[in-house]
């Protein structure tokens, strides 16, 4: 635990900001108010000159050495919220820079600790800045490296090619349907995922509630003649349930939702290869669904065992080709950088195996130690790659995707992610997932249905975001889904008054 003493009093949300930045350099840090041995001390100075420039300085002392950083920016003259945002940016700049000097570590994502950096680039473009100007602002205001700024610009370019009306989707909605069951729970996972079993009718009771929630949401959407952009079945693993249960669920969806012919994309995560069967693929084909995920995560048997995935490498390969040969035309695969006991050699092997299959898209995740995961609770059990190795693996993934004709099309980051890196979705041109883009860029309301589903209500005029979470536990969902329906409909009535869609 690295103790850091700030010689100035700050409110709690500022303390959180400084802590998030310090955690980029230290596995764990704590902002203190009293002197301790080996603590880092930081003092700040803020001045305004006659020309309206805001000048911030930070002075850091640690291990007998001192470091100084300065940042200058034209003072904002907007409302209190805008001024506070600028002050946080100035303090973040100088705090990050003195920590970089003291540790010798460079943060390519600069002061950004949020998960959606591409959204910031889009914001600048919508404000009228050119791509070059937006990249310059990312570097100057947020300390983002040239390499990452160019990556964001490239991703935004691909997104706008895939969805030319990306900025005009606010009056449409997308649907997320969460099915919280998996064959087993992976060690790194914190999603609503429960080992599926048929005791006490838990699965059947959950599905009864899910059907009802789909029908009620569909009724509201039909009354307003709403357009649905995309539908995404996630979880858990949606293909954990039986083929006939999938069939009944899709039948309810098609009967309940309006304008299904205009839905641009329906995706079903079949992420666990051990859940894929010919009967389930037949059901997907029956309902015209041909975008699925078949997720290996790794092509090393020992890794799969270590993270709790009870399928073999060969099963991943076999189920990919089963899906492809039975007519699945758009298959995504996921790989994770930094899994236990994996280095460059193992990741290169995973890329080599992926090359033989050429899925339409490949998402390269970087392992994140999520607070509630088994891997985080028992961190000492899992030996993972160091920062330098993880960075090399990420670079290897970038090079592989480029040489195989894939382009980056969405990106997000997570707290406690190895190497302070990112997760990047790559796709062959024209095969990008529309849902992944709209949810990452927060351009429209997402209605979450099912266990653990998050609804995100975005007001079309102001962009204000309100979130609502369904219960994660199936037993709690079964007891409260009617209440969840009521609360979500109330939110939807606020965001989309009837008159808007008349």
């Amino acid at each position: 635990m690295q103790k850091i003493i700030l010689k100035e009093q700050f409110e709690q949300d500022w303390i959180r900001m400084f802590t998030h930045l310090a955690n980029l350099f230290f596995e764990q840090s704590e902002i203190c108010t009293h002197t301790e041995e080996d603590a880092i001390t930081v003092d700040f100075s803020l001045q305004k000159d006659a020309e309206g420039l805001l000048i911030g300085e930070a002075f850091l002392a640690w291990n007998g050495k001192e470091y100084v950083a300065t940042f200058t920016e034209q003072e904002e003259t907007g409302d209190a919220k805008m001024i506070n945002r600028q002050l946080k940016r100035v303090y973040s700049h100088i705090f990050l820079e003195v920590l970089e000097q003291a540790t010798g570590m460079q943060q390519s994502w600069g002061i950004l600790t949020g998960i959606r950096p591409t959204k910031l680039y889009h914001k600048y473009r919508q404000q009228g800045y050119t791509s070059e100007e937006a990249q310059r602002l990312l570097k100057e205001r947020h300390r983002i490296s040239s390499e990452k700024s160019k990556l964001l610009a490239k991703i935004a370019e691909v997104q706008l090619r895939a969805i030319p009306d990306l900025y005009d989707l606010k009056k449409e909605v997308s649907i997320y349907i969460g099915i919280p069951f998996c064959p087993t729970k992976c060690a790194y996972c914190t999603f609503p995922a429960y080992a599926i079993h048929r005791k006490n009718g838990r699965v059947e009771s959950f599905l009864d509630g899910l059907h009802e929630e789909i029908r009620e949401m569909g009724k509201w959407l039909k009354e307003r003649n709403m357009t649905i952009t995309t539908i995404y079945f996630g979880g858990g693993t949606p293909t954990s349930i039986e083929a006939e249960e999938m069939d009944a669920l899709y039948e309810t969806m098609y009967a309940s939702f309006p304008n299904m012919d205009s839905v641009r994309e329906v995706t079903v995560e079949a992420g666990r290869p051990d859940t894929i069967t010919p009967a389930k693929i037949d059901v997907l084909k029956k309902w015209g669904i041909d975008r699925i995920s078949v997720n290996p995560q790794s092509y090393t048997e020992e890794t799969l065992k270590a993270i709790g995935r009870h399928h073999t490498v060969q099963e991943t390969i076999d189920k990919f080709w089963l899906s492809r040969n039975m007519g699945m035309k758009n298959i995504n695969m996921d790989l994770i950088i930094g899994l236990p006991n994996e280095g460059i050699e193992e990741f290169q092997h995973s890329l080599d195996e992926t090359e033989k299959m050429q899925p339409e898209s490949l998402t390269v995740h970087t392992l994140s130690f999520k607070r509630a995961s088994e891997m985080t609770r028992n961190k000492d059990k899992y030996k993972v790659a160091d920062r330098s190795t993880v960075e090399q693996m990420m670079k290897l993934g970038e090079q592989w995707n480029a040489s195989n004709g894939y382009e980056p099309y969405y990106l997000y980051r997570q707290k406690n992610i190895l190497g302070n890196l990112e997760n990047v979705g790559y796709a062959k041109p024209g095969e990008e997932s529309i849902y992944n883009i709209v949810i990452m860029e927060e351009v429209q309301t997402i209605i979450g249905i099912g266990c653990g589903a998050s609804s995100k209500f975005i007001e079309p005029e102001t962009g204000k975001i309100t979130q609502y979470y369904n219960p994660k536990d199936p037993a709690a969902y079964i007891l409260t889904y009617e209440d969840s329906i009521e609360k979500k409909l109330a939110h939807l009535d606020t965001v989309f008054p009837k008159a808007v869609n008349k």
Side-chain angles (χ1 to χ4, degrees), residues 2 36-41 59-68 101-102:
Q2 179 60 56
E36 291 199 23
E37 191 177 353
D38 297 326
I40 293 172
T41 60
F59 308 88
L60 183 149
W62 187 34
N63 291 336
K65 295 183 179 179
E66 295 183 349
Y67 307 89
V68 181
Q101 291 176 22

Side-chain angles (χ1 to χ4, degrees), residues 281-294:
I281 296 174
D282 280 336
V283 170
L284 295 170
K285 288 173 61 182
K286 173 183 173 181
W287 294 102
I289 299 169
D290 67 2
R291 186 177 194 282
I292 64 171
S293 291
V294 181

Side-chain angles (χ1 to χ4, degrees), residues 116 159 163 166 169 174 229-230 433-444 446 458:
R116 292 178 169 83
Q159 289 178 338
I163 314 174
L166 181 66
L169 292 177
S174 284
T229 310
T230 67
S433 165
I434 296 171
Y435 177 84
N436 284 339
I437 296 172
V438 298
I439 194 169
M440 287 304 159
E441 306 315 327
E442 296 183 317
V443 293
Q444 66 171 185
I446 308 279
I458 301 179

Side-chain angles (χ1 to χ4, degrees), residues 72-88:
T72 303
E73 190 173 88
Q74 190 69 39
E75 185 182 8
E76 296 277 8
T77 56
D79 58 22
K81 189 175 180 181
M82 186 179 294
I83 292 169
N84 189 58
R85 190 182 298 131
Q86 182 184 37
L87 288 175
K88 284 188 172 183

